[in-house]
């Protein structure tokens, strides 16, 4: 899969259980357990969409709970997934991915 517009493909993993690229580079124990989907405001810090607010104006966003069966965000960790990188390396990788 090409990396073009990867920032626009949030949330991540096959079931959309990781809200942004920053959390995708973290071990599953450090990822959000709940977040809100449906916002179209880009989060340039974490690379994804704003996912920490339940509503904006009259728009209610969908609460995604990773504890629900089928919504788990475990796995995809270790050296091959970048979760073992240093914080500086993770920041550099995210900045690089923003260029696509």
């Amino acid at each position: 899969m090409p990396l073009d517009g990867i920032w626009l493909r949030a949330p991540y993993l096959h079931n959309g259980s990781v809200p942004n690229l920053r959390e995708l580079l973290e071990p599953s124990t450090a990822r959000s357990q709940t977040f809100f989907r449906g916002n179209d405001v880009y989060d340039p810090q974490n690379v994804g969409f704003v996912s920490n607010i339940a509503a904006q104006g009259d728009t209610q966003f969908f609460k995604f709970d990773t504890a629900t069966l089928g919504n788990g965000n475990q796995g995809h960790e270790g050296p091959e997934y970048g979760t073992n990188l240093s914080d500086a390396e993770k920041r550099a990788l995210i900045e690089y991915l923003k260029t696509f």
Side-chain angles (χ1 to χ4, degrees):
M1 176 76 69
L3 295 176
D4 295 356
I6 194 165
W7 61 270
L8 188 58
R9 298 186 197 157
Y12 299 96
L13 296 185
H14 71 284
N15 60 355
S17 62
V18 179
N20 55 60
L21 287 179
R22 178 69 180 135
E23 287 196 28
L24 191 58
L25 292 174
E26 296 298 332
S28 61
T29 55
R31 296 174 184 158
S32 295
Q33 298 304 300
T34 60
F35 61 93
F36 296 94
R37 294 181 57 172
N39 201 329
D40 62 357
V41 175
Y42 175 60
D43 176 357
Q45 180 76 23
N46 296 308
V47 185
F49 296 101
V50 172
S51 60
N52 60 348
I53 58 172
Q56 189 170 14
D58 292 336
T59 304
Q60 297 288 319
F61 301 121
F62 174 76
K63 183 179 181 181
F64 192 93
D65 186 349
T66 62
T68 301
L69 184 63
N71 287 358
N73 63 4
Q74 299 80 20
H76 298 87
E77 7 187 351
E80 61 275 13
Y81 295 101
T83 58
N84 292 359
L85 295 172
S86 70
D87 285 339
E89 290 170 321
K90 290 176 184 180
R91 280 191 303 274
L93 178 55
I94 288 172
E95 289 305 313
Y96 173 71
L97 291 172
K98 288 180 184 179
T99 67
F100 286 89

